Amino acid sequence: PAPDVGARNGPGGVGWKTSTLKYRDNSRDVSNAFCSTWAYTGRMALEIRQMRHVLMLAELGNFARAAVALHLSQSALSRSIQVIERQFGAALFLRTAAGVVPTDLGRVLAQRAFQVVQMAEEIERELLSNHTAQTGQLCVGTGPYPLETIVTPALTRLISSHPLVRVRLRLADWD
Protein backbone atom coordinates (compact mmCIF):
# COMPACT_ATOMS: atom_id res chain seq x y z
CA PRO A 1 0.00 0.00 0.00
CA ALA A 2 1.08 3.58 -0.68
CA PRO A 3 1.89 5.83 2.27
CA ASP A 4 0.14 9.12 3.03
CA VAL A 5 2.86 11.68 3.69
CA GLY A 6 2.25 14.86 5.70
CA ALA A 7 5.03 17.40 6.29
CA ARG A 8 5.44 20.12 8.89
CA ASN A 9 8.18 22.44 10.05
CA GLY A 10 10.52 21.16 12.73
CA PRO A 11 12.84 22.84 15.25
CA GLY A 12 12.71 26.61 14.95
CA GLY A 13 9.87 26.27 12.48
CA VAL A 14 12.31 26.74 9.61
CA GLY A 15 14.35 24.52 7.39
CA TRP A 16 13.40 21.05 8.59
CA LYS A 17 10.56 18.77 7.76
CA THR A 18 9.20 15.57 9.20
CA SER A 19 7.04 13.03 7.51
CA THR A 20 4.35 10.91 9.09
CA LEU A 21 3.64 7.75 7.18
CA LYS A 22 0.30 6.04 7.60
CA TYR A 23 -0.26 2.89 5.66
CA ARG A 24 -3.76 1.88 4.70
CA ASP A 25 -4.35 -1.81 4.92
CA ASN A 26 -7.68 -2.35 3.17
CA SER A 27 -10.09 -0.20 5.20
CA ARG A 28 -8.06 0.40 8.40
CA ASP A 29 -5.12 2.67 9.26
CA VAL A 30 -2.07 0.97 10.65
CA SER A 31 -1.36 3.38 13.49
CA ASN A 32 2.05 2.03 14.48
CA ALA A 33 3.53 2.84 11.08
CA PHE A 34 5.11 6.17 12.00
CA CYS A 35 8.32 7.37 10.44
CA SER A 36 9.99 10.63 11.39
CA THR A 37 12.53 11.85 8.86
CA TRP A 38 14.54 15.02 9.44
CA ALA A 39 16.03 16.37 6.25
CA TYR A 40 17.92 19.62 5.90
CA THR A 41 16.21 21.85 3.36
CA GLY A 42 18.92 24.46 2.91
CA ARG A 43 18.58 27.00 5.71
CA MET A 44 19.72 26.91 9.31
CA ALA A 45 17.61 28.77 11.82
CA LEU A 46 20.72 30.10 13.57
CA GLU A 47 24.32 29.92 12.42
CA ILE A 48 27.26 29.20 14.71
CA ARG A 49 28.75 32.55 13.66
CA GLN A 50 25.64 34.28 14.99
CA MET A 51 25.82 32.27 18.20
CA ARG A 52 29.37 33.52 18.71
CA HIS A 53 28.10 37.08 18.25
CA VAL A 54 25.45 36.56 20.94
CA LEU A 55 27.97 34.98 23.30
CA MET A 56 30.53 37.75 22.95
CA LEU A 57 27.94 40.49 23.35
CA ALA A 58 26.46 38.79 26.42
CA GLU A 59 29.93 38.36 27.92
CA LEU A 60 31.24 41.87 27.26
CA GLY A 61 27.95 43.76 27.58
CA ASN A 62 29.00 46.36 25.02
CA PHE A 63 28.61 46.42 21.23
CA ALA A 64 31.89 48.25 20.62
CA ARG A 65 34.02 45.89 22.74
CA ALA A 66 32.25 42.79 21.41
CA ALA A 67 32.73 43.96 17.82
CA VAL A 68 36.47 44.48 18.40
CA ALA A 69 36.79 41.02 19.99
CA LEU A 70 34.95 39.47 17.02
CA HIS A 71 36.96 41.47 14.45
CA LEU A 72 33.78 43.09 13.14
CA SER A 73 32.55 46.62 12.79
CA GLN A 74 30.07 47.71 15.43
CA SER A 75 27.38 48.14 12.79
CA ALA A 76 27.95 44.61 11.43
CA LEU A 77 27.54 43.14 14.92
CA SER A 78 24.45 45.26 15.52
CA ARG A 79 22.90 44.07 12.23
CA SER A 80 23.72 40.45 13.08
CA ILE A 81 21.95 40.72 16.46
CA GLN A 82 18.99 42.51 14.85
CA VAL A 83 18.62 39.71 12.29
CA ILE A 84 18.45 37.14 15.10
CA GLU A 85 15.96 39.27 17.06
CA ARG A 86 13.73 39.63 13.97
CA GLN A 87 13.99 35.92 13.33
CA PHE A 88 12.77 35.07 16.83
CA GLY A 89 10.44 38.05 17.11
CA ALA A 90 11.82 39.22 20.45
CA ALA A 91 14.64 41.31 21.87
CA LEU A 92 17.72 39.40 23.02
CA PHE A 93 19.34 42.36 24.77
CA LEU A 94 18.16 45.41 26.65
CA ARG A 95 20.06 48.40 25.32
CA THR A 96 20.96 51.06 27.86
CA ALA A 97 23.41 53.96 27.98
CA ALA A 98 25.73 51.78 30.08
CA GLY A 99 25.69 48.89 27.58
CA VAL A 100 23.55 45.85 26.95
CA VAL A 101 22.08 43.22 29.23
CA PRO A 102 20.63 39.93 27.97
CA THR A 103 16.87 39.51 28.30
CA ASP A 104 15.51 36.20 29.57
CA LEU A 105 15.41 34.94 25.98
CA GLY A 106 18.94 36.28 25.43
CA ARG A 107 20.21 34.39 28.48
CA VAL A 108 18.60 31.16 27.29
CA LEU A 109 20.08 31.62 23.82
CA ALA A 110 23.53 32.43 25.26
CA GLN A 111 23.48 29.31 27.45
CA ARG A 112 22.47 27.07 24.57
CA ALA A 113 24.79 28.82 22.12
CA PHE A 114 27.70 28.23 24.50
CA GLN A 115 26.98 24.48 24.42
CA VAL A 116 26.61 24.43 20.63
CA VAL A 117 29.78 26.46 20.02
CA GLN A 118 31.74 24.23 22.41
CA MET A 119 30.47 21.13 20.62
CA ALA A 120 31.28 22.61 17.20
CA GLU A 121 34.83 23.37 18.35
CA GLU A 122 35.22 19.82 19.68
CA ILE A 123 34.00 18.40 16.37
CA GLU A 124 36.42 20.63 14.48
CA ARG A 125 39.33 19.53 16.70
CA GLU A 126 38.43 15.86 16.25
CA LEU A 127 38.10 16.14 12.50
CA LEU A 128 41.30 18.13 12.13
CA SER A 129 43.26 15.77 14.34
CA ASN A 130 42.08 12.80 12.29
CA HIS A 131 42.49 14.64 8.99
CA THR A 132 45.98 15.86 9.75
CA ALA A 133 47.18 12.52 11.07
CA GLN A 134 50.34 12.16 9.07
CA THR A 135 50.54 8.99 7.05
CA GLY A 136 52.81 7.81 4.34
CA GLN A 137 56.21 6.33 3.89
CA LEU A 138 59.63 7.64 4.85
CA CYS A 139 62.79 6.20 3.34
CA VAL A 140 66.01 6.82 5.25
CA GLY A 141 69.51 5.90 4.14
CA THR A 142 72.29 6.04 6.70
CA GLY A 143 75.62 4.68 7.77
CA PRO A 144 76.32 2.65 10.94
CA TYR A 145 77.48 5.51 13.18
CA PRO A 146 74.61 7.97 12.43
CA LEU A 147 72.19 5.05 12.78
CA GLU A 148 73.21 4.49 16.40
CA THR A 149 73.63 8.12 17.47
CA ILE A 150 71.06 10.13 15.52
CA VAL A 151 68.71 8.10 13.32
CA THR A 152 67.49 5.46 15.79
CA PRO A 153 66.40 7.96 18.51
CA ALA A 154 64.80 10.22 15.89
CA LEU A 155 62.92 7.36 14.23
CA THR A 156 61.75 6.09 17.62
CA ARG A 157 60.20 9.48 18.38
CA LEU A 158 58.71 9.71 14.87
CA ILE A 159 57.10 6.26 15.04
CA SER A 160 55.67 6.85 18.52
CA SER A 161 54.13 10.21 17.56
CA HIS A 162 53.04 9.17 14.02
CA PRO A 163 52.20 5.46 14.13
CA LEU A 164 50.66 5.51 10.64
CA VAL A 165 53.97 6.46 8.98
CA ARG A 166 55.84 3.53 7.46
CA VAL A 167 59.61 3.76 7.72
CA ARG A 168 62.07 2.06 5.35
CA LEU A 169 65.62 2.11 6.60
CA ARG A 170 68.60 1.39 4.38
CA LEU A 171 71.90 0.84 6.11
CA ALA A 172 75.00 1.23 3.95
CA ASP A 173 78.67 1.33 4.71
CA TRP A 174 80.32 4.56 3.64
CA ASP A 175 83.38 2.75 2.13
Side-chain angles (χ1 to χ4, degrees):
D4 294 328
V5 179
R8 66 174 176 80
N9 285 333
V14 180
W16 299 88
K17 60 184 174 184
T18 183
S19 300
T20 305
L21 302 178
K22 291 184 180 177
Y23 291 89
R24 296 190 186 280
D25 183 16
N26 293 332
S27 63
R28 61 186 172 103
D29 284 336
V30 180
S31 61
N32 61 354
F34 175 77
C35 175
S36 178
T37 307
W38 294 93
Y40 183 60
T41 59
R43 183 164 178 258
M44 286 290 296
L46 192 61
E47 297 175 10
I48 292 175
R49 171 186 54 83
Q50 293 172 306
M51 292 182 204
R52 286 190 169 111
H53 296 175
V54 169
L55 285 173
M56 192 60 66
L57 186 56
E59 180 182 334
L60 299 177
N62 181 287
F63 273 97
R65 288 193 303 251
V68 168
L70 290 164
H71 306 287
L72 295 172
S73 68
Q74 185 175 341
S75 62
L77 177 59
S78 180
R79 279 191 308 272
S80 176
I81 299 297
Q82 287 172 354
V83 165
I84 301 167
E85 289 175 330
R86 272 195 308 273
Q87 189 172 352
F88 291 107
L92 298 175
F93 295 93
L94 296 174
R95 288 133 172 102
T96 68
V100 295
V101 178
T103 61
D104 290 340
L105 181 64
R107 278 190 292 280
V108 169
L109 178 57
Q111 289 168 352
R112 296 296 188 168
F114 179 76
Q115 294 168 347
V116 170
V117 168
Q118 250 187 339
M119 190 178 299
E121 289 171 356
E122 287 173 21
I123 290 169
E124 187 175 342
R125 275 193 301 277
E126 284 179 35
L127 292 177
L128 287 175
S129 70
N130 288 335
H131 176 68
T132 59
Q134 295 178 357
T135 62
Q137 182 174 336
L138 175 66
C139 299
V140 178
T142 184
Y145 180 72
L147 176 67
E148 291 178 22
T149 59
I150 299 169
V151 176
T152 300
L155 288 178
T156 302
R157 286 191 309 272
L158 174 75
I159 292 169
S160 66
S161 63
H162 299 85
L164 300 176
V165 173
R166 286 185 14 199
V167 177
R168 287 184 48 204
L169 182 62
R170 182 159 187 207
L171 180 62
D173 229 347
W174 296 114
D175 311 10

